[in-house]
Amino acid sequence: MNYFVSLQQNLSIALMEYIVSARKYRPLSFSSVVGQTALTTTLKNAVKSGKLAHAYLFCGPRGVGKTTCARIFAKAINCQNPTADGEACNECESCLSFNEQRSLNIFELDAASNNSVEHIKTLMEQTRIPPQLGRYKVFIIDEVHMLSTAAFNAFLKTLEEPPAHVIFILATTEKHKILPTILSRCQIYDFERMTIRNTIDHLKRVASQEGITYEDEALAVIAEKADGGMRDALSIFDQAASFCQGNITYQKVIEDLNVLDAENYFQIIDLAIDNKVSDIMLLLNKVINNGFDGGLLIQGLARHVRNVLMAKDAQTLSLLEVSDQQRQRFQQQAQKADTRFLYQALRLMNQCDINYRQSSNKRLLVELTLIEIAQITQPDEGASAGRRPRRLKSLFKQLIQSTQPKKAAPQVAAAESTATKDEGRRTKENSNEGQNPPQPISTTPASPHPRTPESPAPAAPTLKNIGFSWSNLRQKQKPSKMNIIPGSIADTKSAQHSEDQPFTQEDLEFQWLSMCNRMPQQRQELIGIATRMKNMAPVITDMPRLQVTVENTLVKQEMEAILRSIVKTLQIYLHNNQISLDIIVSDKPEQAKILTRREQFELMSKENPAVEKLRQAFNLELA
């Protein structure tokens, strides 16, 4: 029985002596502070020179050493025998009392729980008492942004004119919440976030002192999970060491922290480069079934692609905050990935990340994004994966060749030769016409062989008149009495014979709408006025004089700026060179006043007195 009692006591003592790494390896000198070299050098120089300010403000994210540096600085200020480089000696009575937490010259206050005016007044009363040992009384106020406005005002007077033996060190994570009058009286030091490289190096030192084996990739995952905070990194390190039982491996760390394996990102990019959409969908399904969110996958994949892009250039290789082995893998994948592919993949994933929260079918959005990424490197002519081809002409040519017998090959060659010559002739004519202003708002290429309605139809369909022209389709959908196909311009001879032809209101409305649809295709700045013009209804006042009514003067000024182009376009498409257009501003009647709820009730009561009687009977009030 005595044996078990002594064993239980020894076990309890061992458990009580355990200290977490964040406290056990907390820096005790400026030289042991990680990742804040510029700040610690400045503070040590201030201690050596004796040029100390009466108030300091340490700002930065959590876990980067603000409070730790404040304690080290306070100890160095009161050290009786500081070293040559501004460090505390840790041997004098002041240093020993501070290390044993019995110093009467250094006070630390947590403003998160002591933020009232009474707490600040009590603290200010202690500033009147001179130090018993050393030169200064140092007051460290942590999370100072939590002080109330009244407490700040009570603290302001003492901060403005403190006693000569008092130094304030304020620490905060949210500098923007502090009053400007407080900021102007402090020396401000901004602490930087911990880099992944500094975090990994510090974790290696801790692991070597604790006798823990590790893998570099595992420490890199812990450093990335810490998100720039050394305290968080040490806490995660303790958790991983407990889970792995002294042997921290990459697989165990991602299993313990529930982190998506980086190997998935490498596989997705490799499959996307090879256009293997099916394999990507299977990998995505596996990731989602393991409990990972699709949005986190897109975010992680975007960071991965960014790292691959940085690895393509030796100058940006230093921006990769990863382990040495992963840096080599990024370089290998960067050699296979095209820069255009990486740019477009980043753009697609950024758009998916923006729309992910509002999407009702999040998995479908992720799947479509990965499909589009896998199709970036696909050839333009390839239609195997469902991409919309860019060259309709080549597809139509392949379709015709596949449906026609072999003996039709000479006809195909002749048709292509004729179409090529006509296209070159039209290009030359359009270039000559571009020298004579004003020009119509937009034009579309005409069919290779325009045919007037009077010409007889061919006896049998040939390859030349197969209806693949958008102009022919439009003409079939809307028959017109005019001799010009909507959306195209006839040649010079037919235009001379069709001058000053009459037209109907229906023809005018159709050509007006067609013109509005073509305007944004030619000039992007005409999108707004084209949209307004679609809602207008031009009328024929006195053939061929036209009139259109606009809403206000601003719209009239916008239309007058392009009036010549509008008139020229209508003259060409309506075959009448005498057309003119008048722009009239409409006279809208004065809009009726919008009544409030009380005015509506008063009007109802005036017209029907029974409503007022009903309100009085039930003692009602208007909300």
Side-chain angles (χ1 to χ4, degrees), residues 166-181:
V166 173
I167 293 179
F168 293 103
I169 302 178
L170 314 180
T172 179
T173 56
E174 302 182 20
K175 183 174 66 174
H176 61 278
K177 291 186 178 181
I178 301 178
L179 298 178
T181 51

Side-chain angles (χ1 to χ4, degrees), residues 126-141:
Q126 297 181 5
T127 60
R128 303 175 183 176
I129 304 174
Q132 301 298 323
L133 181 65
R135 298 177 54 188
Y136 297 98
K137 264 196 170 183
V138 183
F139 295 87
I140 301 174
I141 304 179

Side-chain angles (χ1 to χ4, degrees), residues 465-597:
N465 51 27
I466 293 180
F468 288 111
S469 171
W470 294 113
S471 301
N472 293 337
L473 293 176
R474 188 181 299 175
Q475 186 181 23
K476 293 179 181 179
Q477 293 176 358
K478 181 149 183 89
S480 176
K481 298 179 181 179
M482 298 178 297
N483 294 328
I484 184 171
I485 300 175
S488 64
I489 302 178
D491 54 9
T492 307
K493 296 181 179 180
S494 60
Q496 293 176 355
H497 292 291
S498 61
E499 291 180 355
D500 303 338
Q501 290 188 4
F503 53 89
T504 62
Q505 179 67 26
E506 181 182 1
D507 297 334
L508 173 61
E509 294 176 356
F510 176 73
Q511 295 300 337
W512 181 273
L513 183 60
S514 301
M515 176 182 63
C516 296
N517 291 331
R518 293 190 301 268
M519 288 170 63
Q521 300 176 5
Q522 183 180 6
R523 294 168 59 186
Q524 292 293 328
E525 61 270 18
L526 298 179
I527 295 178
I529 187 61
T531 304
R532 297 187 184 95
M533 289 174 59
K534 289 180 182 180
N535 299 324
M536 301 177 187
V539 295
I540 304 174
T541 56
D542 185 12
M543 179 67 70
R545 193 175 189 85
L546 310 179
Q547 178 178 317
V548 64
T549 305
V550 299
E551 299 177 355
N552 49 53
T553 309
L554 295 178
V555 180
K556 180 181 179 182
Q557 294 176 357
E558 292 182 2
M559 290 188 62
E560 288 178 346
I562 57 173
L563 180 60
R564 295 182 60 191
S565 298
I566 296 175
V567 173
K568 183 64 177 180
T569 303
L570 294 177
Q571 289 177 354
I572 293 175
Y573 284 93
L574 293 175
H575 299 275
N576 195 316
N577 294 332
Q578 304 300 324
I579 291 178
S580 62
L581 180 63
D582 298 330
I583 304 176
I584 307 297
V585 180
S586 64
D587 298 331
K588 292 185 178 180
E590 184 178 358
Q591 296 181 353
K593 179 183 178 182
I594 301 177
L595 302 179
T596 63
R597 293 295 182 88

